[in-house]
Amino acid sequence: MKYYLVAGEASGDLHGANLMKALKELDGQADFRFFGGDLMQAEGGTLVKHYADMAFMGFVEVVINLNTILKNLKKCKQDIVAYQPDVLVLIDFPGFNLKIAEFAKAQGLLVCYYISPKVWAWNQKRVLKIKRIVDHLFCILPFEVDFYKSWGMEIDYVGNPLLDAVDAFKPNPNFIADNDLTGKKIVALLPGSRKQEISRLLPQMLGAVNKFPHHQFVVAGAPSFNKDYYHQYLGGKTIPVIFNATYDILANAEAAVVASGTATLETALFNVPQVVVYKGNTLTIAIARMLVKLKFISLVNLIMDSAVVKELIQEDCTTLNITKELNNLLHNTHYRETMLAGYDMLDERMGTPGASAKTAKLIVKYASKQ
């Protein structure tokens, strides 16, 4: 069958690639066309647009880049019509993908949505629109099942695809030597995959480096940038920026400073104590605080519904606060052990791997009935 996938950020590229791999096992003649990234491209098919040209996060950022977003939407719609897929698979990225879903549904296409839009965070009435424009919704967070059911919507709960990615990871035994690392214990810096995240968060993270001379700090580089881009923030510090090796960095880390997003859950699954940071446009954050009714922003805390990890948001996201938290993570044994105990409970709640395979089976089943 012909599959058209749309992923608009690094995490979607990862989950899209694993889903494509699972689909190929079920459908040996699978033909893929997609908006995505390098990982999806490695699975075969045709990459139409790279997510590096699409990932705008925040109300203000979206307005500033509206012209680019509208061009991307137009290109995606035209390409879907030209390709005429058997099934459209939308992966997270709701601001863009819900518009594509509405268009595709009007074209009579089968619309599957993998990784539910986080409508439980704000404006929950959007569920009614999703019921109308999405044929099959695949959810990955345990609490989403009851949420959608409360709105009278039946969904498929498939588990979390990050479990698949972590389970499939094979560590590089020569990681330290290959990257000329010092042998000191590692503190991982994960500043995100978007320009605005990196520009706001990395300087605050790097400000803490000199306070921990007995540790090696390592930056996980986003694949859509190069080393020159990161060097503008390093200020002459000899801090390695390593690309395409985030899991190896985490596998060797004693602690981490992590931009809010998928990486917070990945860090927890690797059992690395962390502090979660986020800093956005001032107006964007002000609007978000009015609209979003959540106690937490990190996936770890959202899933557990408790403060397992410390969150430093906006005005709290400072070098001083990051330094204080890292000091606790590295040197306060009770503090570390409490967080790791929280990770143990998270592991139980997350369940077992298999989300990609489950989702692929359901997509093939639904598409075959068309």
Side-chain angles (χ1 to χ4, degrees):
M1 289 186 289
K2 294 164 70 178
Y3 304 85
Y4 201 108
L5 299 92
V6 184
E9 49 203 340
S11 60
D13 182 36
L14 171 68
H15 302 323
N18 285 330
L19 180 61
M20 288 165 70
K21 194 179 299 179
L23 284 167
K24 285 190 294 187
E25 289 178 6
L26 297 170
D27 180 359
Q29 300 300 311
D31 188 76
F32 298 112
R33 194 169 175 88
F34 51 89
F35 277 42
D38 300 343
L39 298 176
M40 291 171 73
Q41 192 168 23
E43 292 300 323
T46 303
L47 173 65
V48 180
K49 173 72 73 173
H50 198 287
Y51 70 77
D53 302 321
M54 298 172 63
F56 305 108
M57 186 177 183
F59 302 101
V60 176
E61 291 81 359
V62 166
V63 171
I64 292 169
N65 294 284
L66 189 56
N67 194 42
T68 300
I69 294 167
L70 291 174
K71 284 180 181 176
N72 288 340
L73 278 166
K74 184 178 180 181
K75 183 179 179 69
C76 189
K77 290 174 183 179
Q78 289 174 340
D79 202 57
I80 288 169
V81 170
Y83 183 62
Q84 282 298 301
D86 293 292
V87 57
L88 173 68
V89 183
L90 304 169
I91 303 170
D92 204 357
F93 203 51
F96 189 93
N97 274 340
L98 286 176
K99 291 179 176 61
I100 297 299
E102 189 166 23
F103 170 80
K105 185 68 174 173
Q107 299 295 312
L109 295 173
L110 178 67
V111 179
C112 290
Y113 208 118
Y114 181 37
I115 306 179
S116 155
K118 297 171 181 61
V119 290
W120 35 264
W122 67 284
N123 192 8
Q124 295 186 357
K125 286 185 179 178
R126 287 180 296 166
V127 174
L128 301 175
K129 181 178 181 179
I130 292 171
K131 281 175 74 172
R132 181 169 51 83
I133 63 176
V134 173
D135 294 300
H136 301 286
L137 183 64
F138 308 110
C139 292
I140 67 167
L141 297 172
F143 60 81
E144 290 177 329
V145 177
D146 290 336
F147 168 76
Y148 279 103
K149 195 171 283 184
S150 73
W151 282 89
M153 185 174 179
E154 290 301 315
I155 56 98
D156 288 299
Y157 176 65
V158 294
N160 201 294
L162 281 183
L163 294 172
D164 297 1
V166 172
D167 187 59
F169 167 66
K170 294 179 175 57
N172 174 7
N174 303 312
F175 174 73
I176 301 295
D178 287 350
N179 292 284
D180 297 320
L181 300 180
T182 60
K184 295 178 182 177
K185 290 182 177 178
I186 289 174
V187 174
L189 302 181
L190 281 64
S193 60
R194 302 177 180 90
K195 274 188 179 180
Q196 66 247 38
E197 288 177 315
I198 297 165
S199 64
R200 292 186 179 120
L201 297 176
L202 189 54
Q204 302 297 332
M205 294 179 176
L206 292 171
V209 171
N210 291 338
K211 304 293 184 183
F212 301 92
H214 301 299
H215 286 80
Q216 165 87 72
F217 283 72
V218 177
V219 177
S224 47
F225 301 101
N226 57 31
K227 285 193 177 181
D228 289 339
Y229 177 76
Y230 287 91
H231 284 167
Q232 66 184 302
Y233 300 110
L234 296 182
K237 292 184 173 77
T238 53
I239 297 171
V241 180
I242 303 175
F243 294 85
N244 302 311
T246 301
Y247 283 8
D248 274 307
I249 294 171
L250 289 173
N252 287 277
E254 187 181 19
V257 187
V258 187
S260 178
T262 305
T264 62
L265 186 52
E266 290 173 303
T267 301
L269 293 174
F270 273 91
N271 231 32
V272 180
Q274 66 182 301
V275 53
V276 175
V277 294
Y278 186 75
K279 204 177 185 80
N281 177 282
T282 304
L283 181 56
T284 292
I285 295 296
I287 295 169
R289 282 175 168 160
M290 286 190 290
L291 295 176
V292 179
K293 307 302 179 188
L294 292 175
K295 288 187 286 184
F296 308 108
I297 65 166
S298 69
L299 279 172
V300 176
N301 291 347
L302 282 168
I303 292 168
M304 295 305 297
D305 195 28
S306 65
V308 175
V309 298
K310 180 77 170 179
E311 299 179 352
L312 299 176
I313 307 167
Q314 205 61 2
E315 61 274 5
D316 293 329
C317 179
T318 64
T319 289
L320 179 62
N321 285 338
I322 290 170
T323 302
K324 286 179 180 175
E325 189 62 20
L326 269 180
N327 199 50
N328 279 330
L329 295 174
L330 295 169
H331 302 130
N332 184 329
T333 303
H334 176 70
Y335 194 87
R336 279 181 67 87
E337 287 179 351
T338 300
M339 189 175 293
L340 292 172
Y343 285 176
D344 288 341
M345 290 187 282
L346 175 72
D347 285 342
E348 286 181 29
R349 191 162 294 185
M350 290 290 290
T352 55
S356 302
K358 288 175 199 166
T359 306
K361 281 180 186 173
L362 288 167
I363 288 172
V364 170
K365 182 178 87 171
Y366 294 141
S368 299
K369 289 179 178 178
Q370 284 293 99

